[in-house]
Amino acid sequence: MPLHLTGTLIRRHRIPKPPPHDDEYYTVEDFNINKEINLYSKVFKITNRDEFTRNFLKKLGVRMPDLVTAPSDPYTNYRKAVSRKYTCY
């Protein structure tokens, strides 16, 4: 099950890369499938893209690999197990 975040984590601006490359900024090529990016000390793995993003990257000439399976989230798995344990039928 994919993780869906709510709220705004990043606003529209140039995002600096983490040290030792903090004099550089992320570019569109950094946001490709099966890549991990570190945004303000939070690491994200890109596993999918929507149709708009696919078309946008394609027009820019960015090659996109096949989609990958999202990694399992231990906390979500734990909450599902707890929910099943206490569900009455």
Side-chain angles (χ1 to χ4, degrees):
M1 171 186 258
L3 175 66
H4 297 283
L5 301 174
T6 59
T8 303
L9 296 173
I10 308 280
R11 298 201 182 269
R12 188 175 189 171
H13 66 286
R14 290 185 348 164
I15 302 171
K17 291 184 176 182
H21 303 285
D22 49 349
D23 59 335
E24 301 174 25
Y25 293 93
Y26 283 104
T27 64
V28 69
E29 288 84 13
D30 296 311
F31 292 87
N32 209 333
I33 294 172
N34 207 23
K35 286 198 172 188
E36 287 189 0
I37 55 173
N38 184 331
L39 305 174
Y40 301 117
S41 301
K42 294 185 185 292
V43 177
F44 298 88
K45 181 167 184 149
I46 301 172
T47 59
N48 202 340
R49 77 323 197 195
D50 61 7
E51 194 66 21
F52 176 85
T53 304
R54 186 186 74 76
N55 289 333
F56 179 75
L57 294 174
K58 188 176 178 181
K59 287 179 184 177
L60 291 176
V62 177
R63 295 188 62 194
M64 291 167 285
D66 293 332
L67 305 179
V68 295
T69 304
S72 172
D73 176 30
Y75 181 74
T76 301
N77 295 340
Y78 169 76
R79 294 302 303 160
K80 283 181 184 176
V82 168
S83 176
R84 280 191 295 259
K85 182 177 179 181
Y86 293 106
T87 301
C88 296
Y89 293 100

